[in-house]
């Protein structure tokens, strides 16, 4: 993967290129400034796995810090910071400042291969300033104490010793607490005391003086020496939103300045690699402000040596794997990842790489020496849409079934026990990962048959059973938007309510499995009857909507579907008719115990008989194409041959113009069905399948 082989080595200075006499290899440092690399992808595409793999790969090679920006503890349980619901009430804390406490500690640790960690005098002094507490309540003092303890984690591993040390510091600066209440004039004395007592002990006198010199030149306020500037920093941090953001930018600038100061001419000459920051979930409400502040500081500050930064974010992605795509990705990224010029905006410092979808060969290799039933790997590749997390869960369930000698056929795939939860079907395990909230997941399952928002809203008046949320459809729409679920439009009708094919297939399977236990699968029938009624003809003798027939097929009312399509054949051109067939045969498949609707063969308005060749062809075409379009259906040569034969029959019984369209479908659809293309994505007029 290019992130491992090219991107990160270039960012941190480990890119070895070509021989050099007497040294074997030489290190090429690209000119200019490194970019912030953002790797984006959908749910379970391997974003966190990518960062964890980078963290492990470079664990002993360079200073690094990992942080999950979507969590209050940054994905490090036990981090000595306030609880998520406590932090907003504290004036001396923010998610950005807590991140800097964490990053300072992580980068201070020793990287075994390259000697000691970094020192952060400027950042430490800034963090001490904003941590200066007000004597207005116990919460501020306790929170400040916890943050002071975090400054000692590297030098003092024992927790009790850290607490004792912090208590001693607080006693030393205690005379200034009263004067500092409300951040009045006495805050200058408090900040000075913290710098003298705490920073000197943490950093040493010389580093402390150098850091203060930087703050004196920083000009947080119009004038004043270092302690005045740090006091103004504390005031800004406790001010309004814009003032706090400004203070956070000063703190991030201090981080960059400390890193730059560490990389002296001698260290650069000796090829000391730069630090690596790995920031996960930057798309979250907690993460977005941090990343926006970081990119702005990256744009505004002029420092020579910067860390490598790799960020992951949730984003929409292609709905299905495309082996012919040449779009940039983390698999074939070639850069450049440095800029010699200065972009006009902060956003210009970010290069975005979509996470690569798995190829079929990669899915096959995941099985190792286990041999599942034929077509299983291809089915997983299509069903997962190339998402690594979904494919991994399905492959592991399949491998477990192979080893236990149970059914591993494609139709049984989603009901196999999950490898890490043998009492849970793998489809349920995957859905819990994709949609963790139980209520949201249940709502999505019940709304998944809807073809549009209005249809989902119609279901929302009665489903899910027992859910009395007044805005449950709106909340579900917000969830789909917030989690950036992609959509794959259906030709001629837009995207269904749940537009991501992988999510829709898993939800549909779960709903059918849940309702299969109900006698007669009545809830399934009721859901699709509710949806079908929305599209019923409004006048006597009116033609049913394509969506009406879609839901009719979902409750096994095949007779109604065939009669309606036969009647339309004489009134519609072949292209419009095939488009309707495409939508109808994309209908979800019902629970196994749903009884077929009562057949009424005598009242076909087009022919009055089921023996007519065209009527029989339409009947077999609908049944065959619907079965072949099941999400768990691999190409079935018998069904495909039947679909081809029925299309030929329709071509033979059509006029010249329609005959051309039907014959083209006869010629191309079987090839596409063998390539795993299904309704509703079969092309009508020779266009490429979507």
């Amino acid at each position: 993967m290019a992130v491992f082989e090219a991107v990160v080595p270039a960012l941190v200075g480990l890119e070895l290129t070509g021989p050099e006499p007497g040294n074997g290899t030489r290190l090429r440092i690209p000119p200019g400034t490194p970019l912030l690399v953002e790797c984006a992808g959908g749910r379970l595409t391997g974003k966190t796995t990518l960062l964890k793999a980078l963290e492990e790969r470079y664990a002993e090679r360079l200073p690094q810090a990992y942080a999950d920006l979507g969590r209050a503890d940054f994905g490090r349980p036990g981090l000595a910071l306030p609880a998520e619901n406590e932090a907003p009430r504290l004036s001396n804390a923010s998610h950005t400042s807590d991140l800097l406490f964490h990053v300072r500690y992580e980068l201070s640790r020793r990287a075994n291969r390259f000697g000691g960690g970094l020192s952060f005098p400027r950042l430490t002094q800034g963090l001490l300033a904003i941590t200066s507490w007000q004597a207005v309540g116990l919460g501020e003092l306790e929170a400040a104490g916890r943050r002071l303890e975090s400054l000692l984690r590297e030098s003092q591993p024992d927790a009790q010793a850290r607490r004792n040390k912090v208590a001693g510091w607080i006693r030393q600066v205690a005379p200034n607490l009263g004067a500092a209440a409300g951040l009045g004039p006495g805050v200058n004395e408090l900040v000075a005391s913290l710098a003298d007592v705490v920073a000197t002990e943490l950093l040493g006198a010389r580093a402390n003086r150098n850091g203060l010199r930087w703050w004196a030149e920083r000009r947080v306020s119009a004038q004043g020496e270092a302690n005045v500037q740090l006091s103004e920093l504390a005031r800004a941090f406790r001010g309004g939103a814009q003032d706090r953001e400004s203070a956070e930018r000063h703190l991030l600038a201090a981080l960059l300045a400390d890193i730059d100061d560490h990389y002296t001419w001698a260290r650069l000459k000796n090829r000391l690699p730069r630090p690596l920051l790995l920031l996960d979930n930057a798309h979250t409400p907690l993460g977005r402000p941090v990343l926006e502040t970081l990119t702005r500081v990256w744009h505004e500050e002029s420092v020579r040596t910067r860390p490598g930064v790799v960020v992951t974010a949730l984003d929409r992605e292609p709905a299905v794997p495309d082996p012919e795509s040449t779009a940039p990705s983390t698999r074939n990224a070639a850069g450049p990842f440095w800029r010699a010029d200065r972009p006009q905006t902060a956003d210009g410092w970010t290069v975005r790489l979509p996470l690569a979808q798995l190829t079929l060969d990669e899915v096959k290799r995941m099985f190792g020496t286990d041999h599942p039933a034929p077509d299983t790997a291809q089915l997983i590749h299509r069903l997962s849409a190339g998402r690594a997390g979904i494919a991994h869960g399905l492959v592991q369930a399949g491998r477990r079934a192979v080893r236990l000698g149970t059914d591993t056929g494609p139709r049984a795939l989603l009901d196999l026990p999950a490898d890490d939860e043998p009492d849970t079907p793998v489809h349920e395990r995957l859905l819990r990962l994709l949609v963790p909230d139980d209520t949201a997941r249940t709502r999505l399952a019940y709304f998944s048959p809807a073809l549009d928002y209005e249809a989902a809203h119609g279901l929302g008046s009665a489903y899910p059973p027992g859910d009395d949320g007044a805005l449950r459809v709106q909340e579900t729409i917000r969830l789909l938007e917030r989690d950036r679920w992609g959509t794959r439009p259906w030709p001629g009708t837009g995207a269904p309510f749940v537009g991501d094919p992988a999510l829709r297939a898993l939800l549909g399977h779960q709903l059918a499995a849940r309702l299969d236990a109900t006698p007669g699968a009545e809830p399934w029938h009721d859901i699709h009857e509710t949806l079908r009624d929305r599209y019923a003809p409004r006048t006597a003798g009116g033609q049913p909507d394509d969506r009406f027939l879609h839901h009719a097929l979902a409750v096994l009312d095949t007779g109604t579907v065939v009669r309606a399509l036969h009647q339309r054949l004489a009134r519609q051109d072949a292209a419009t008719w095939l488009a309707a067939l495409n939508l109808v045969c994309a209908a979800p498949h019902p629970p196994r115990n749903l009884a077929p609707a009562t057949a009424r063969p005598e009242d076909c308005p087009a022919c009055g008989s089921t023996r007519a060749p065209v009527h029989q062809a339409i009947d077999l075409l609908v049944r065959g194409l619907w079965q072949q379009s099941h999400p768990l259906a691999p190409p079935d040569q018998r069904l495909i041959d039947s679909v081809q034969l029925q299309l030929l029959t329709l071509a033979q019984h059509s006029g010249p113009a329609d005959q051309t369209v039907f014959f083209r479908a006869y010629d191309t659809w079987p090839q596409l069905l063998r390539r795993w293309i299904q309704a509703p994505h079969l092309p009508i007029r020779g266009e490429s399948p979507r």
Side-chain angles (χ1 to χ4, degrees):
M1 181 179 285
V3 171
F4 289 93
E5 298 168 0
V7 179
V8 172
L11 293 180
V12 300
L14 289 175
E15 187 177 23
L16 299 175
T17 59
E20 183 179 84
N23 202 18
T25 58
R26 62 183 177 85
L27 186 67
R28 182 175 67 85
I29 303 295
T33 304
L35 297 175
L36 303 165
V37 177
E38 180 181 301
C39 300
R43 293 282 177 181
L44 295 186
T45 51
K47 298 182 295 298
T48 299
T49 301
L50 169 66
L51 294 189
K52 290 294 186 181
L54 288 170
E55 183 183 32
E56 181 178 353
R57 178 165 185 163
Y58 293 100
E60 296 186 357
R61 304 181 68 185
L62 47 80
Q64 60 168 290
Y66 167 86
D68 183 345
L69 298 183
R71 295 176 54 178
D73 64 358
F74 304 111
R76 302 297 196 193
L79 198 62
L81 296 171
E84 185 175 358
N85 61 353
E86 179 186 355
R89 302 197 303 268
L90 301 174
S91 62
N92 62 356
S94 73
H95 199 53
T96 298
S97 67
D98 283 347
L99 173 66
L100 291 172
F101 271 101
H102 171 62
V103 168
R104 178 197 175 280
Y105 166 69
E106 292 287 312
L107 296 184
S108 297
R109 294 194 295 173
R110 181 182 299 273
N112 291 345
R113 188 175 298 184
F114 291 102
L118 282 71
S119 176
F120 294 94
R122 301 160 184 80
L123 178 59
T124 300
Q125 290 159 345
L127 293 174
L128 285 171
I130 65 164
T131 304
S132 59
W133 47 84
Q134 306 171 64
V136 294
L138 188 61
E140 293 280 355
L141 188 58
E142 289 179 346
R146 282 197 294 272
R147 285 169 172 76
L148 291 177
E149 286 181 36
S150 74
L151 297 177
L152 286 167
R153 281 192 297 164
E154 174 63 18
S155 61
Q156 182 52 263
D158 182 71
Q160 185 59 50
R162 290 200 301 271
R163 285 192 290 271
N164 293 340
K165 175 66 72 174
V166 169
W169 285 342
I170 292 175
R171 285 194 298 271
Q172 286 181 268
V173 299
N176 294 296
L177 285 178
L183 280 178
V187 74
N188 290 348
E189 287 74 20
L190 175 56
V191 170
S193 297
L194 285 168
D196 289 341
V197 174
V198 181
T200 300
E201 182 168 345
L202 284 172
L203 306 168
R206 180 178 178 182
N208 189 34
R209 286 194 302 272
N210 290 339
L212 291 174
R213 188 179 303 115
W214 185 85
W215 280 108
E217 298 171 354
R218 184 70 188 170
R219 294 303 176 201
V220 181
S221 67
Q223 58 184 353
E225 43 84 37
N227 288 331
V228 173
Q229 301 299 325
L230 289 168
S231 299
E232 288 301 316
L233 180 75
R235 286 193 180 92
F237 194 82
R238 287 174 171 82
Q242 290 183 339
D243 288 339
R244 171 164 284 198
E245 183 185 343
S246 175
E248 290 171 344
R249 292 203 304 272
H250 285 298
L251 291 172
L252 276 164
L255 172 71
L256 291 184
D258 283 332
I259 291 174
D260 184 53
D261 188 55
H262 180 80
Y263 284 83
T264 61
W265 179 87
R267 284 173 170 154
L268 291 174
K269 185 68 174 177
N270 288 325
R271 303 173 180 176
L272 186 71
R274 292 174 289 279
L276 178 63
L277 300 184
L278 304 170
L279 305 178
D280 203 0
N281 290 318
H283 64 279
T284 59
L286 288 173
R288 281 195 302 270
V290 174
L291 190 60
E292 288 170 2
T293 304
L294 175 60
T295 54
R296 182 168 175 179
V297 171
W298 210 266
H299 182 60
E300 293 174 346
E301 298 300 315
S302 297
V303 292
R304 177 187 53 183
T305 304
R306 305 183 186 221
V309 180
V310 179
V311 176
T312 62
L314 186 65
D315 200 3
R316 299 185 189 276
E317 58 183 328
V320 291
D322 181 3
E324 299 176 358
S325 173
T326 57
S329 71
T330 50
R331 180 175 290 116
N332 58 18
F337 302 106
W338 288 64
R339 286 195 68 147
D341 61 333
R342 182 180 181 82
Q344 294 185 351
T345 64
D347 190 62
W349 288 107
T350 301
V351 58
R352 292 175 174 85
L353 304 178
L355 283 168
Q357 296 170 308
L358 292 178
T359 66
L360 175 58
D361 286 341
E362 287 171 328
V363 173
K364 290 179 177 178
R365 287 196 293 270
M366 292 170 71
F367 277 97
T369 57
D370 295 316
H371 300 288
D375 295 323
T376 300
Q378 178 79 321
L379 176 64
I380 291 173
H381 184 237
R382 182 182 67 186
L383 189 64
S384 68
R387 289 187 179 95
I390 298 178
H392 179 266
L394 294 174
V395 166
Q396 292 305 108
R399 297 187 68 182
R400 182 177 185 274
V402 169
R403 292 191 292 270
L404 293 177
T406 55
D407 183 11
T408 60
R411 290 299 181 112
L413 178 65
L414 292 182
D415 292 318
L416 292 175
D419 184 53
D420 54 349
E421 291 185 29
D423 295 332
T424 303
V426 67
H427 74 267
E428 289 189 14
R429 171 70 175 130
L430 290 173
L431 280 171
R432 285 208 310 270
L433 293 173
L434 292 167
V435 188
D437 182 77
D438 292 343
T439 299
R441 191 168 59 253
T442 300
R443 289 174 176 176
L444 274 171
Y446 275 94
F447 299 154
S448 63
L451 292 177
D452 50 48
Y453 161 75
E454 289 78 10
H457 195 272
L459 284 176
S461 61
Y463 298 98
D467 188 338
D468 57 358
L471 298 173
R472 47 188 175 271
V473 177
Q474 292 293 341
E475 290 169 353
T476 304
I477 292 172
R478 184 174 63 183
L479 171 100
L480 292 169
E481 293 173 346
R482 184 196 68 205
D483 289 354
R484 306 192 186 188
W485 285 104
T487 58
R488 187 186 185 191
W490 287 15
T493 187
F497 181 73
V498 178
D500 182 272
L503 180 62
R504 181 179 171 86
L506 290 168
L507 290 168
H509 186 87
Q510 184 186 60
L511 184 63
R514 178 182 294 165
L515 302 183
D516 195 26
T518 307
E522 291 180 4
W524 178 277
H525 192 278
D526 292 344
I527 288 170
H528 285 278
E529 281 290 332
T530 300
L531 294 169
R532 181 167 69 168
D533 288 347
R534 294 188 56 80
Y535 310 113
R538 300 305 177 195
T539 59
Q543 287 293 314
D545 188 285
D546 297 348
R547 294 166 292 183
F548 178 96
L549 301 178
H550 174 95
H551 293 294
L553 191 56
V555 293
L556 301 180
D557 191 0
T558 312
T560 295
V561 173
V562 173
R563 289 191 297 272
L565 288 176
H566 193 175
Q567 187 178 15
R568 286 184 182 193
L569 193 60
R571 303 177 180 178
Q572 291 180 334
D573 63 90
T576 303
W577 193 90
L578 286 174
L581 179 72
N582 237 332
L583 176 62
V584 170
C585 291
H589 288 252
R592 290 184 293 269
N593 65 340
L594 182 71
T598 303
R600 294 182 296 163
E602 70 282 359
D603 61 356
C604 176
C607 65
S609 170
T610 59
R611 298 188 184 91
V614 171
H615 190 101
Q616 289 183 332
I618 295 172
D619 191 346
L620 292 172
L621 180 59
V622 168
R623 295 175 189 274
L625 188 57
W626 186 43
Q627 289 299 318
Q628 187 58 80
S629 298
H630 191 293
L632 297 179
D636 183 321
Q637 191 57 49
R638 178 185 60 83
L639 287 175
I640 294 173
D641 288 346
S642 176
V643 167
Q644 186 173 33
L645 178 60
Q646 313 322 319
L647 289 169
L648 180 62
T649 300
L650 295 181
Q652 291 170 339
H653 289 81
S654 300
D658 288 344
Q659 189 176 85
T660 299
V661 176
F662 279 125
F663 190 80
R664 183 182 295 116
Y666 156 81
D667 194 39
T668 59
W669 279 20
Q671 302 174 39
L672 295 170
L673 290 169
R674 294 185 191 101
R675 289 172 45 198
W676 296 73
I677 307 298
Q678 297 176 314
H681 300 291
L682 294 165
I684 307 302
R685 295 181 175 87
E687 67 269 20
S688 299
R690 297 180 64 181

